[in-house]
Amino acid sequence: MTEVRAFFRRHGVSIIVLGVMAAIWQILSLLYTTEAVPGEPMIPGWQVVFTRTLISLSDYWQGGLGVPSVAEGAPPSYTAALLAIVSNSLDTMVRLYLGLLIGGLVGTFLGLAVSWSKWSRRTVELPLQFIRTLPLLAMVPLFQLWFGIYFAGKVAFVAYGVGVIFFAGVVNAVKNVPQVYIDNARTQGANRVQLYLTIILPSIFPELRATILLSLGTAWGAVLGAEYLGAQSGLGYIIVYSEAFAYLDRMFVVALLFVFYASISYAIFNRLSLKLLQWMPRVGRVIVVG
Amino acid sequence: MGRKSRRRGILRIDPVGIFGVFLLIMIWQALTLALPPSSLPTPSSVVARIGRDFIRAEELSFYGLADTGLLNSMIYTATNVMIAVALGSLVGTIAGFVTARFHNVRAILDPIVMTMGTIPILVLAPFFLIWFGVERMSAVLLVVLYVAVILYIFAQRAADNLDPVYEEYAYTLGASSKRIVWDILIPGTVPQVLGGIRIALAGAWGLEAIAELLGAQYGIGKIIQVLAGATDVQGIFAALIVLGLVAVISDGLAALVFAHVAAWSAAARPGGN
């Protein structure tokens, strides 16, 4: 009971504000009843979202597990709708986290590699800056042409977006490692490899926290972008399909799911990284936003 | 250090970096040997394409985009970005200052802004396109929203970090709240806020392009969308590179102007923190 009370004391205002936002949405839906197409309100109220919309999501269930799909002639049901949400969310998340993993590893590795000498770092800095300004989402069509519209294309796109951020983040973080640390290890006879393992890697992690948070946000955007243009499943696919028919209520449900998943992934990462950084003095743990 | 040499310091380009750009182009050229031109055009053909499409792009007229070229589209996109960054910065900065000083407002606005900030633009864009139509308005509003979120965070943090001693001292000398805002809060936070505007501006180009890609009549994003439909990789490269160059140049200009505006501040100087 005390834990519940503590939770509410800490997050009480946020919960109330979210409740008020939900109420304002409802009021807007009552005041502004224009319809995008007949039967599809511009602002779907909660009474629509939790009944008609939720059940209509069973359109996206592809059958199996003893629950027939709507395409096979079965009537829409809450079971199928729930399965549709779970299976499409899983599809999106597999693409997201696989891309994140590959991009993170490749980006970190390349970043460490060019940081090996001052000359290689100076060589990549300017071209990297230009590559970073190329708008990621506008490159979706290119990745489709290169890697196809199936699984590989989406993962490659997320990995590219995440990889560029990690690459830049690692290069910058290594540059900011205090020279004192390096000199000190050098005078004690550490070689390059030892230097990387014992000094560079642990000291860049705090700065990489901001990079990882940024790449999480980018990854969510990228996976959606990849699904936007040619996918047969996933949350992005549902949004595209819904937009074509102006099903604003379905888009709204998926948007809510997105905010929910993204917030959870941020929260998990925050907890995890704070735990990993417990050895640091407080100063180094400041969260960097932006 | 004189003003002139400082200004040159901001736009200093590492000669080794130029070599890096050259190296990147060489790698690109080498890759074209292994890949067909339909999936990776050569650098020289892309440059030629930029030249050919700059004023008026013939290919685009086949796809229903008559009488437009990269220059025209870029001007449309740039106008939208400028309007959006100006508007979003204003709204975000004011909201950030207000919330930094009034804790009740902050308790209400913080969760709203943070929720807004986590929604990917691609989720929000379809709503805006249906609510506000596929005209200029949708794209500008989308970018305004994201710029405002960034500036909200930056302005709030800058005002939080401003040593309270300044304001307390001014109060004891009998300054009015209005004087404090104009003489202490704004000058004291200008460097950080300008830094936020630069970050927002850099991101705004991509957001504007994607907003146009999803539904617009004009703009560089519209060109990319049309060319993607025709799987014209060369054209997409040309459009992307023009967009990237404009973004880099605008960032350089912003750095120059902002360093001039905040020349008195140690934080705005290159190498300063």
Side-chain angles (χ1 to χ4, degrees):
Chain A
M1 240 355 246
T2 49
E3 281 165 24
V4 175
R5 213 170 294 152
F7 178 82
F8 273 104
R9 201 170 316 129
R10 197 148 15 102
H11 301 286
V13 181
S14 305
I15 293 171
I16 293 170
V17 170
L18 288 179
V20 171
M21 279 165 79
I24 290 174
W25 178 264
Q26 185 67 28
I27 293 167
L28 278 178
S29 80
L30 294 174
L31 289 180
Y32 191 72
T33 50
T34 321
E35 294 180 337
V37 292
E40 294 299 333
M42 283 281 227
I43 301 176
W46 297 103
Q47 81 283 2
V48 179
V49 169
F50 280 114
T51 53
R52 203 192 67 195
T53 311
L54 201 59
I55 208 162
S56 70
L57 287 179
S58 49
D59 284 358
Y60 307 101
W61 174 241
Q62 280 148 351
L65 294 179
V67 183
S69 68
V70 174
E72 292 162 358
S77 66
Y78 281 108
T79 328
L82 218 60
L83 283 170
I85 291 177
V86 172
S87 74
N88 283 297
S89 302
L90 273 180
D91 279 350
T92 300
M93 281 191 205
V94 168
R95 291 165 190 154
L96 174 88
Y97 286 110
L98 200 61
L100 202 61
L101 188 71
I102 297 174
L105 286 178
V106 173
T108 307
F109 179 77
L110 287 178
L112 288 175
V114 301
S115 299
W116 195 259
S117 92
K118 205 174 87 185
W119 290 100
S120 55
R121 179 172 58 71
R122 281 175 69 187
T123 308
V124 295
E125 259 176 351
L126 194 64
L128 185 64
Q129 210 183 342
F130 181 76
I131 288 178
R132 279 196 75 173
T133 56
L134 293 180
L136 175 70
L137 293 170
M139 294 172 78
V140 175
L142 280 180
F143 276 79
Q144 272 189 338
L145 292 171
W146 289 338
F147 298 97
I149 60 164
Y150 299 105
F151 188 69
K154 294 177 189 53
V155 174
F157 183 67
V158 176
Y160 168 80
V162 170
V164 172
I165 293 177
F166 263 89
F167 187 57
V170 169
V171 170
N172 204 29
V174 174
K175 199 168 87 177
N176 289 344
V177 172
Q179 190 62 34
V180 177
Y181 296 175
I182 297 168
D183 289 347
N184 215 331
R186 277 293 180 79
T187 51
Q188 297 185 28
N191 59 27
R192 268 293 164 87
V193 177
Q194 279 172 328
L195 199 67
Y196 259 78
L197 290 178
T198 58
I199 309 283
I200 306 270
L201 280 179
S203 48
I204 61 173
F205 184 69
E207 210 178 311
L208 276 187
R209 254 173 58 87
T211 301
I212 298 172
L213 275 176
L214 184 67
S215 69
L216 259 179
T218 307
W220 278 108
V223 76
L224 249 183
E227 286 177 352
Y228 246 65
L229 298 152
Q232 282 70 46
S233 66
L235 297 174
Y237 162 76
I238 297 184
I239 290 196
V240 179
Y241 184 84
S242 307
E243 197 199 350
F245 295 96
Y247 290 150
L248 271 151
D249 52 340
R250 298 184 193 186
M251 283 157 52
F252 185 62
V253 172
V254 178
L256 288 179
L257 282 175
F258 245 97
V259 174
F260 179 66
Y261 295 143
S263 309
I264 286 186
S265 67
Y266 288 134
I268 290 178
F269 173 73
N270 244 336
R271 276 280 170 85
L272 206 72
S273 66
L274 282 182
K275 200 150 257 181
L276 284 173
L277 285 178
Q278 260 169 0
W279 54 272
M280 292 245 347
R282 268 219 163 267
V283 184
R285 279 197 245 148
V286 182
I287 301 171
V288 188
V289 194
Chain B
M1 193 161 76
R3 177 174 286 166
K4 200 159 191 186
S5 64
R6 192 192 308 141
R7 202 180 302 169
R8 204 179 301 141
I10 297 155
L11 287 186
R12 187 191 59 231
I13 291 174
D14 191 351
V16 184
I18 308 258
F19 167 72
V21 173
F22 181 70
L23 202 69
L24 183 74
I25 296 171
M26 290 309 290
I27 295 173
W28 176 5
Q29 180 75 47
L31 280 174
T32 56
L33 297 176
L35 294 163
S38 58
S39 49
L40 191 66
T42 60
S44 54
S45 74
V46 171
V47 172
R49 178 70 183 266
I50 293 176
R52 192 148 49 84
D53 286 1
F54 201 66
I55 302 298
R56 191 168 173 283
E58 285 294 331
E59 278 92 340
L60 291 174
S61 56
F62 303 147
Y63 310 121
L65 275 181
D67 275 334
T68 188
L70 291 172
L71 181 65
N72 255 341
S73 307
M74 209 53 237
I75 289 173
Y76 177 84
T77 303
T79 316
N80 285 359
V81 167
M82 293 306 148
I83 295 172
V85 169
L87 220 62
S89 300
L90 195 69
V91 173
T93 309
I94 291 174
F97 283 161
V98 169
T99 53
R101 290 292 174 264
F102 299 97
H103 290 275
N104 296 334
V105 185
R106 181 182 198 149
I108 296 168
L109 269 188
D110 260 8
I112 298 177
V113 173
M114 294 311 153
T115 316
M116 279 304 198
T118 55
I119 306 177
I121 187 168
L122 286 173
V123 171
L124 222 47
F127 286 96
F128 276 55
L129 291 174
I130 294 179
W131 286 340
F132 305 111
V134 290
E135 299 298 321
R136 204 184 275 260
M137 175 102 136
S138 287
V140 171
L141 276 179
L142 271 173
V143 182
V144 165
L145 195 69
Y146 284 90
V147 171
V149 168
I150 294 175
L151 262 295
Y152 175 84
I153 294 169
F154 268 82
Q156 194 185 61
R157 202 170 41 173
D160 276 346
N161 290 344
L162 197 64
D163 196 333
V165 142
Y166 299 137
E167 278 167 61
E168 281 159 15
Y169 190 59
Y171 271 124
T172 57
L173 292 176
S176 62
S177 303
K178 194 176 150 198
R179 283 287 301 276
I180 289 199
V181 169
W182 285 106
D183 291 351
I184 295 176
L185 189 62
I186 293 178
T189 51
V190 156
Q192 285 94 321
V193 169
L194 290 182
I197 293 178
R198 243 185 100 183
I199 290 179
L201 177 68
W205 293 102
L207 294 175
E208 171 66 26
I210 194 68
E212 287 169 1
L213 215 147
L214 291 175
Q217 314 295 321
Y218 310 100
I220 208 89
K222 176 70 181 174
I223 288 194
I224 294 175
Q225 187 236 331
V226 165
L227 292 172
T231 61
D232 184 347
V233 180
Q234 194 189 52
I236 298 175
F237 260 91
L240 277 176
I241 284 175
V242 169
L243 180 61
L245 282 177
V246 171
V248 168
I249 292 169
S250 76
D251 184 55
L253 282 178
L256 207 71
V257 172
F258 291 174
H260 195 75
V261 170
W264 44 269
S265 153
R269 245 167 250 160
N273 207 4

Short mmCIF file of all heavy atoms in Angstrom, two decimals, chain A residues 37-63:
data_model
loop_
_atom_site.label_atom_id
_atom_site.label_comp_id
_atom_site.label_asym_id
_atom_site.label_seq_id
_atom_site.Cartn_x
_atom_site.Cartn_y
_atom_site.Cartn_z
N VAL A 37 -14.63 11.16 -43.48
CA VAL A 37 -15.51 10.55 -44.48
C VAL A 37 -16.73 10.09 -43.69
O VAL A 37 -16.64 9.96 -42.47
CB VAL A 37 -14.83 9.35 -45.19
CG1 VAL A 37 -13.68 9.81 -46.05
CG2 VAL A 37 -14.36 8.31 -44.19
N PRO A 38 -17.86 9.87 -44.31
CA PRO A 38 -19.06 9.52 -43.55
C PRO A 38 -18.79 8.37 -42.56
O PRO A 38 -18.23 7.34 -42.93
CB PRO A 38 -20.05 9.10 -44.63
CG PRO A 38 -19.63 9.87 -45.82
CD PRO A 38 -18.14 9.99 -45.73
N GLY A 39 -19.14 8.58 -41.31
CA GLY A 39 -18.95 7.54 -40.29
C GLY A 39 -17.60 7.58 -39.61
O GLY A 39 -17.37 6.83 -38.68
N GLU A 40 -16.68 8.44 -40.11
CA GLU A 40 -15.34 8.51 -39.50
C GLU A 40 -15.12 9.89 -38.92
O GLU A 40 -14.74 10.81 -39.64
CB GLU A 40 -14.26 8.20 -40.53
CG GLU A 40 -14.27 6.78 -41.06
CD GLU A 40 -14.04 5.76 -39.96
OE1 GLU A 40 -13.39 6.10 -38.95
OE2 GLU A 40 -14.53 4.63 -40.10
N PRO A 41 -15.34 10.06 -37.62
CA PRO A 41 -15.17 11.38 -37.02
C PRO A 41 -13.72 11.86 -37.09
O PRO A 41 -12.80 11.04 -37.02
CB PRO A 41 -15.60 11.18 -35.57
CG PRO A 41 -15.50 9.73 -35.32
CD PRO A 41 -15.73 9.05 -36.63
N MET A 42 -13.54 13.17 -37.26
CA MET A 42 -12.19 13.75 -37.30
C MET A 42 -11.50 13.53 -35.96
O MET A 42 -10.30 13.31 -35.90
CB MET A 42 -12.27 15.25 -37.57
CG MET A 42 -12.56 15.60 -39.00
SD MET A 42 -11.08 15.46 -39.99
CE MET A 42 -11.15 16.98 -40.90
N ILE A 43 -12.26 13.67 -34.87
CA ILE A 43 -11.68 13.43 -33.54
C ILE A 43 -12.51 12.33 -32.88
O ILE A 43 -13.60 12.57 -32.38
CB ILE A 43 -11.71 14.71 -32.69
CG1 ILE A 43 -10.92 15.81 -33.40
CG2 ILE A 43 -11.13 14.44 -31.31
CD1 ILE A 43 -10.96 17.13 -32.70
N PRO A 44 -12.01 11.08 -32.93
CA PRO A 44 -12.78 9.97 -32.36
C PRO A 44 -12.77 10.01 -30.83
O PRO A 44 -11.71 10.03 -30.22
CB PRO A 44 -12.04 8.73 -32.88
CG PRO A 44 -10.66 9.20 -33.18
CD PRO A 44 -10.75 10.64 -33.53
N GLY A 45 -13.94 10.03 -30.22
CA GLY A 45 -14.05 10.02 -28.77
C GLY A 45 -13.71 8.65 -28.21
O GLY A 45 -13.61 7.67 -28.94
N TRP A 46 -13.53 8.59 -26.87
CA TRP A 46 -13.11 7.33 -26.26
C TRP A 46 -14.18 6.25 -26.42
O TRP A 46 -13.85 5.07 -26.49
CB TRP A 46 -12.79 7.54 -24.79
CG TRP A 46 -11.63 8.47 -24.60
CD1 TRP A 46 -11.70 9.78 -24.22
CD2 TRP A 46 -10.26 8.19 -24.83
NE1 TRP A 46 -10.44 10.33 -24.20
CE2 TRP A 46 -9.54 9.37 -24.57
CE3 TRP A 46 -9.55 7.05 -25.24
CZ2 TRP A 46 -8.15 9.44 -24.69
CZ3 TRP A 46 -8.19 7.13 -25.36
CH2 TRP A 46 -7.49 8.32 -25.09
N GLN A 47 -15.47 6.65 -26.43
CA GLN A 47 -16.52 5.63 -26.56
C GLN A 47 -16.41 4.91 -27.91
O GLN A 47 -16.74 3.74 -28.03
CB GLN A 47 -17.92 6.26 -26.36
CG GLN A 47 -18.53 6.97 -27.53
CD GLN A 47 -17.92 8.37 -27.74
OE1 GLN A 47 -17.02 8.77 -27.03
NE2 GLN A 47 -18.40 9.09 -28.74
N VAL A 48 -15.88 5.62 -28.93
CA VAL A 48 -15.67 4.99 -30.24
C VAL A 48 -14.41 4.13 -30.20
O VAL A 48 -14.37 3.01 -30.66
CB VAL A 48 -15.56 6.06 -31.34
CG1 VAL A 48 -15.33 5.42 -32.69
CG2 VAL A 48 -16.79 6.93 -31.36
N VAL A 49 -13.34 4.72 -29.60
CA VAL A 49 -12.03 4.07 -29.63
C VAL A 49 -12.07 2.70 -28.96
O VAL A 49 -11.52 1.73 -29.47
CB VAL A 49 -10.98 4.97 -28.95
CG1 VAL A 49 -9.68 4.22 -28.73
CG2 VAL A 49 -10.74 6.21 -29.80
N PHE A 50 -12.75 2.63 -27.80
CA PHE A 50 -12.70 1.38 -27.05
C PHE A 50 -13.72 0.35 -27.49
O PHE A 50 -13.73 -0.77 -27.00
CB PHE A 50 -12.84 1.65 -25.55
CG PHE A 50 -11.54 2.09 -24.95
CD1 PHE A 50 -11.41 3.37 -24.44
CD2 PHE A 50 -10.45 1.24 -24.93
CE1 PHE A 50 -10.20 3.78 -23.90
CE2 PHE A 50 -9.24 1.65 -24.39
CZ PHE A 50 -9.11 2.92 -23.88
N THR A 51 -14.62 0.71 -28.40
CA THR A 51 -15.58 -0.29 -28.85
C THR A 51 -15.37 -0.60 -30.33
O THR A 51 -14.72 -1.59 -30.67
CB THR A 51 -17.02 0.23 -28.64
OG1 THR A 51 -17.14 1.52 -29.26
CG2 THR A 51 -17.34 0.34 -27.16
N ARG A 52 -15.86 0.28 -31.19
CA ARG A 52 -15.83 -0.01 -32.62
C ARG A 52 -14.41 -0.11 -33.15
O ARG A 52 -14.07 -1.02 -33.91
CB ARG A 52 -16.58 1.12 -33.35
CG ARG A 52 -17.10 0.70 -34.69
CD ARG A 52 -17.55 1.91 -35.47
NE ARG A 52 -16.45 2.77 -35.82
CZ ARG A 52 -16.58 4.01 -36.25
NH1 ARG A 52 -17.79 4.54 -36.35
NH2 ARG A 52 -15.54 4.74 -36.57
N THR A 53 -13.55 0.83 -32.73
CA THR A 53 -12.18 0.84 -33.25
C THR A 53 -11.42 -0.40 -32.84
O THR A 53 -10.78 -1.05 -33.66
CB THR A 53 -11.42 2.06 -32.71
OG1 THR A 53 -12.24 3.20 -32.93
CG2 THR A 53 -10.10 2.21 -33.40
N LEU A 54 -11.51 -0.72 -31.54
CA LEU A 54 -10.75 -1.83 -31.02
C LEU A 54 -11.12 -3.11 -31.77
O LEU A 54 -10.26 -3.87 -32.21
CB LEU A 54 -11.03 -1.98 -29.53
CG LEU A 54 -9.99 -2.75 -28.74
CD1 LEU A 54 -8.63 -2.06 -28.86
CD2 LEU A 54 -10.39 -2.84 -27.28
N ILE A 55 -12.42 -3.30 -31.96
CA ILE A 55 -12.85 -4.54 -32.60
C ILE A 55 -12.49 -4.55 -34.09
O ILE A 55 -12.19 -5.59 -34.67
CB ILE A 55 -14.37 -4.76 -32.36
CG1 ILE A 55 -14.67 -6.26 -32.37
CG2 ILE A 55 -15.22 -4.05 -33.38
CD1 ILE A 55 -15.99 -6.59 -31.74
N SER A 56 -12.45 -3.34 -34.68
CA SER A 56 -12.12 -3.28 -36.11
C SER A 56 -10.66 -3.64 -36.37
O SER A 56 -10.28 -3.98 -37.48
CB SER A 56 -12.40 -1.88 -36.65
OG SER A 56 -11.47 -0.97 -36.12
N LEU A 57 -9.83 -3.58 -35.33
CA LEU A 57 -8.42 -3.93 -35.51
C LEU A 57 -8.26 -5.41 -35.84
O LEU A 57 -7.18 -5.83 -36.27
CB LEU A 57 -7.61 -3.58 -34.26
CG LEU A 57 -7.35 -2.10 -34.03
CD1 LEU A 57 -6.57 -1.88 -32.75
CD2 LEU A 57 -6.61 -1.48 -35.20
N SER A 58 -9.31 -6.22 -35.63
CA SER A 58 -9.20 -7.64 -35.97
C SER A 58 -9.02 -7.83 -37.48
O SER A 58 -8.64 -8.90 -37.92
CB SER A 58 -10.41 -8.41 -35.46
OG SER A 58 -11.59 -7.76 -35.83
N ASP A 59 -9.23 -6.75 -38.26
CA ASP A 59 -8.93 -6.80 -39.69
C ASP A 59 -7.47 -7.17 -39.94
O ASP A 59 -7.12 -7.70 -40.98
CB ASP A 59 -9.15 -5.42 -40.34
CG ASP A 59 -10.62 -5.13 -40.53
OD1 ASP A 59 -11.43 -6.02 -40.20
OD2 ASP A 59 -10.95 -4.04 -41.00
N TYR A 60 -6.61 -6.82 -38.96
CA TYR A 60 -5.17 -7.00 -39.18
C TYR A 60 -4.65 -8.31 -38.61
O TYR A 60 -3.45 -8.52 -38.57
CB TYR A 60 -4.41 -5.81 -38.58
CG TYR A 60 -4.94 -4.49 -39.08
CD1 TYR A 60 -5.79 -3.73 -38.28
CD2 TYR A 60 -4.65 -4.06 -40.36
CE1 TYR A 60 -6.31 -2.54 -38.76
CE2 TYR A 60 -5.17 -2.88 -40.84
CZ TYR A 60 -6.00 -2.13 -40.04
OH TYR A 60 -6.52 -0.96 -40.51
N TRP A 61 -5.54 -9.15 -38.13
CA TRP A 61 -5.13 -10.48 -37.68
C TRP A 61 -5.08 -11.40 -38.87
O TRP A 61 -6.05 -11.50 -39.63
CB TRP A 61 -6.07 -11.01 -36.61
CG TRP A 61 -5.79 -12.43 -36.19
CD1 TRP A 61 -6.64 -13.49 -36.32
CD2 TRP A 61 -4.59 -12.94 -35.61
NE1 TRP A 61 -6.04 -14.62 -35.85
CE2 TRP A 61 -4.78 -14.32 -35.40
CE3 TRP A 61 -3.38 -12.36 -35.24
CZ2 TRP A 61 -3.80 -15.14 -34.85
CZ3 TRP A 61 -2.40 -13.17 -34.69
CH2 TRP A 61 -2.61 -14.55 -34.50
N GLN A 62 -3.94 -12.08 -39.05
CA GLN A 62 -3.80 -12.88 -40.26
C GLN A 62 -4.17 -14.34 -40.07
O GLN A 62 -3.86 -15.18 -40.91
CB GLN A 62 -2.36 -12.74 -40.80
CG GLN A 62 -2.22 -11.42 -41.55
CD GLN A 62 -0.84 -10.82 -41.46
OE1 GLN A 62 0.00 -11.27 -40.70
NE2 GLN A 62 -0.61 -9.78 -42.23
N GLY A 63 -4.84 -14.65 -38.98
CA GLY A 63 -5.31 -16.02 -38.78
C GLY A 63 -4.30 -16.87 -38.04
O GLY A 63 -3.14 -16.50 -37.88
#
